Amino acid sequence: MGTTTVMPCPILVGNEWREVKTGKTLPVHNPSTGEVIAHTPMCGKDEVDAAVRSAHEAFQTWKDTPPVQRIQVLFRYKMLLEDNFEALAESITREHGKTMTESRGDIRRGIEVVEYACAITELMKGDMLENIASGIDCHTIRQPIGVSAGICPYNFPALVPMWMYPMAIACGNTFVLKPSEKVPLTSIRLIELLIEAGMPKGVLNIVHGGRECVDALLTHPLVRAISFVGSSPVAKYIFETGTQNGKRVQAAGGAKNFVFVMPDADLPKAVEGMIDGAFGCSGQRCMAASTAVVIGDVADHYLPPLADATRELKLGPTDRDKTARLGGVINPEHRDRIIKILDEGVKEGAELLVDGRNMRVESQPNGFYLGPTIVDKVKHGMKICETETFGPVLNVMRFEDFDEAIEIANKQAFGNGACIFTNSGKLAREFSHRIQAGMVGINVGVPAPLAYFPFSGWDYSFFGDLHVQGKEGVLFYTREKVVTSRWHGIGDGEIWHKD
Ligand code: NAD
């Protein structure tokens, strides 16, 4: 770890790795040190067309490969992922900056999607009803839709791509993956392992880049479905452009998640849950706790230990210091953006309870560090209340009662996650019923669903109908066909009677 080697960043077409020699590139950094570890090529129409055509050709065979054979590749893949587990986690830490524990979580959650996809023989089954009319039967089958593309964000270099391609290919589709241009290296390693597991030529292809590359995917006539995860303005654009071009689209966006702390909560547990929720992965999580909602006099008992625990979090180079709890954020531009949001929040009247804006790591002057920060007295209508910060920043909003807090939380545009810490079953039930968010935690800081449940964002956090993961993932990557059948005569065979 901590190597300064610059890694190659090839595209993959028909199981052949190709260096892109022309056009612009973007540097990939190790956020712990600031070093450049790769250069991502900014692909355009030509590379995308080659990748899509390769996927389209492979689809003709892969769609008719029996599901039980398709998943043999995934069974072998799962074992290879386990064998390479630590190296993959190191790759994530190096290009993203999260801690090794968090990187292990990133890859573990991805492996669980592969395991779920291995059950596709069960998950893709259709329904049947005999005798919908006299002598007529009806059954449904699910078939793959064709070439699917996945466009990924930077914050989960393994998990988000693995939300997409294992399910897509298990269902019989072929795939073009566009990893985040900020973290392309883990994806490359993940797909090298898929090839080693026996993935046939062209079933999965990789392109790299930004808007030009994405637009080429969104408008390519041979692409049938688009899975997107990223920020909300881009998710909205992807959904609108993709659907206008006749594609099925699922587009998950950003978030601003509210976490309620009620006076009857177990406060030490609520401190632990909030620290993990707000500052895990340096806050670069769509399920991060963004706003602590404190009700009644709970602020007096809750905020002092929360602030103390926050000050104790160690900032450091996660690729070499195992005791660091927070690493750098993805790049210097992102750090500057977060500081700007904080400065504006202070101008709007919010107060910094813990101020990490100037925290640095002495041994790594070029790393992209920002200390954990708590902003108190945030009010509805402030920009800092409504903007996704996506950094180690926790807002605090104080309310007199539960009803007022629910009303304000429900006025937010985003609807990804929301949590409550309470010992009251009635309040918890009331909260999960009334809160306008698609994923709810009860005494759980980060209620991110696992592979067999949908990742269920609402409102400005999701565009489309079918989410990634769970049965919705199977529905997204398949089309249903309804077969109604009637047979006349008895054919040539002998009919055997019981009596
Ligand atoms: P981003 O929106 O900047 O980029 C995501 C992808 O879109 C990248 O592959 C990028 O190349 C592409 N892209 C960026 N701008 C584009 C444009 N103008 N046109 C076409 N394509 C474009 O997001 P990010 O900064 O990489 O990731 C962080 C965001 O992702 C946060 O908002 C976070 O909440 C969100 N996220 C959401 C979920 C979820 O499940 N809802 C999960 C993880 C991350």
Side-chain angles (χ1 to χ4, degrees):
M1 300 210 66
T3 173
T4 52
T5 312
V6 174
M7 305 282 290
C9 191
I11 62 170
L12 180 73
V13 177
N15 282 12
E16 185 189 299
W17 294 101
R18 297 183 188 170
E19 288 289 339
V20 180
K21 298 220 170 71
T22 53
K24 270 193 355 200
T25 62
L26 212 84
V28 179
H29 294 103
N30 176 347
S32 292
T33 60
E35 287 160 336
V36 173
I37 55 172
H39 297 278
T40 310
M42 297 285 110
C43 296
K45 271 190 177 162
D46 291 349
E47 290 86 6
V48 167
D49 187 55
V52 172
R53 286 189 186 285
S54 152
H56 185 252
E57 197 186 323
F59 180 64
Q60 311 316 317
T61 315
W62 188 245
K63 69 180 165 58
D64 291 331
T65 304
V68 73
Q69 279 180 31
R70 293 199 295 254
I71 60 175
Q72 295 314 309
V73 178
L74 293 178
F75 280 117
R76 288 192 292 272
Y77 188 42
K78 139 89 181 160
M79 297 321 293
L80 283 168
L81 291 168
E82 297 291 358
D83 293 347
N84 290 272
F85 191 84
E86 277 302 295
L88 285 164
E90 283 172 10
S91 165
I92 295 170
T93 289
R94 194 180 305 120
E95 66 179 346
H96 176 281
K98 61 178 82 172
T99 66
M100 277 297 286
T101 305
E102 290 162 348
S103 293
R104 290 185 191 108
D106 194 332
I107 183 75
R108 176 57 58 204
R109 298 283 87 81
I111 291 176
E112 285 164 3
V113 182
V114 176
E115 290 165 354
Y116 183 68
C118 284
I120 210 68
T121 45
E122 190 61 31
L123 296 168
M124 268 182 85
K125 275 182 186 167
D127 295 319
M128 183 192 192
L129 184 67
E130 190 187 34
N131 269 342
I132 58 163
S134 189
I136 301 180
D137 304 330
C138 193
H139 72 271
T140 63
I141 49 180
R142 302 210 69 90
Q143 294 187 332
I145 36 184
V147 178
S148 307
I151 302 157
C152 302
Y154 77 84
N155 65 321
F156 278 89
L159 174 59
V160 172
M162 291 169 90
W163 273 350
M164 302 170 180
Y165 67 83
M167 291 306 290
I169 65 176
C171 289
N173 304 282
T174 52
F175 207 81
V176 179
L177 176 66
K178 196 211 77 71
S180 163
E181 64 277 30
K182 297 168 195 160
V183 294
L185 300 176
T186 305
S187 283
I188 290 174
R189 187 64 194 130
L190 285 171
I191 303 313
E192 279 175 351
L193 293 173
L194 188 57
I195 295 174
E196 203 179 320
M199 178 191 68
K201 197 170 128 181
V203 169
L204 196 143
N205 306 268
I206 303 185
V207 289
H208 298 290
R211 178 157 189 173
E212 195 187 336
C213 178
V214 170
D215 281 345
L217 286 167
L218 291 175
T219 53
H220 200 295
L222 294 178
V223 173
R224 304 301 300 272
I226 302 273
S227 297
F228 172 86
V229 178
S231 58
S232 288
V234 183
K236 185 167 179 289
Y237 168 75
I238 299 281
F239 181 76
E240 288 170 356
T241 314
T243 50
Q244 274 160 21
N245 281 279
K247 294 161 199 348
R248 182 179 286 189
V249 182
Q250 53 179 193
K256 191 89 183 176
N257 306 312
F258 281 51
V259 179
F260 283 44
V261 182
M262 303 306 298
D264 69 348
D266 177 330
L267 290 189
K269 290 264 184 277
V271 168
E272 242 175 70
M274 196 72 78
I275 291 283
D276 177 35
F279 303 122
C281 299
S282 289
Q284 297 166 105
R285 269 200 298 216
C286 69
M287 291 300 280
S290 333
T291 303
V293 174
V294 289
I295 315 270
D297 67 355
V298 80
D300 302 338
H301 315 289
Y302 182 65
L303 294 182
L306 183 72
D308 287 345
T310 302
R311 288 188 197 98
E312 276 167 25
L313 292 170
K314 185 175 172 195
L315 192 62
T318 47
D319 64 343
R320 58 204 72 188
D321 179 356
K322 305 269 171 295
T323 62
R325 285 283 307 276
L326 262 87
V329 295
I330 191 71
N331 56 35
E333 296 77 33
H334 189 48
R335 180 178 59 192
D336 293 348
R337 176 187 166 272
I338 299 167
I339 293 174
K340 192 164 166 232
I341 295 172
L342 288 169
D343 292 345
E344 281 171 7
V346 173
K347 277 194 206 135
E348 285 175 304
E351 291 175 17
L352 290 165
L353 180 59
V354 180
D355 184 357
R357 286 176 297 178
N358 297 315
M359 262 176 93
R360 295 290 176 268
V361 172
E362 232 173 76
S363 66
Q364 297 297 337
N366 300 322
F368 311 141
Y369 296 101
L370 183 63
T373 298
I374 300 183
V375 193
D376 195 6
K377 301 193 180 154
V378 170
K379 299 253 174 343
H380 176 58
M382 289 181 179
K383 203 171 160 210
I384 194 167
C385 176
E386 280 150 24
T387 313
E388 182 184 40
T389 317
F390 220 59
V393 174
L394 176 67
N395 289 351
V396 177
M397 294 179 82
R398 299 168 179 238
F399 293 98
E400 286 306 312
D401 64 44
F402 178 77
D403 287 331
E404 185 197 0
I406 286 272
E407 194 191 321
I408 296 299
N410 283 347
K411 282 190 174 154
Q412 306 305 314
F414 295 107
N416 221 36
C419 303
I420 188 167
F421 284 93
T422 179
N423 274 325
S424 157
K426 180 169 168 34
L427 260 184
R429 197 244 169 225
E430 190 73 8
F431 179 80
S432 67
H433 180 66
R434 285 168 61 185
I435 197 76
Q436 297 294 305
M439 291 173 276
V440 173
I442 297 170
N443 297 316
V444 169
V446 185
L450 300 190
Y452 23 90
F453 285 99
F455 206 90
S456 193
W458 284 11
D459 300 330
Y460 194 49
S461 295
F462 184 76
F463 301 84
D465 299 302
L466 297 167
H467 298 87
V468 294
Q469 289 199 154
K471 287 184 196 141
E472 288 193 35
V474 181
L475 298 183
F476 182 78
Y477 287 121
T478 52
R479 295 197 285 184
E480 192 163 47
K481 190 177 274 183
V482 187
V483 181
T484 305
S485 53
R486 168 163 51 197
W487 295 91
H488 298 287
I490 55 168
D492 296 333
E494 184 189 347
I495 302 281
W496 184 82
H497 292 282
K498 228 179 187 177
D499 42 40

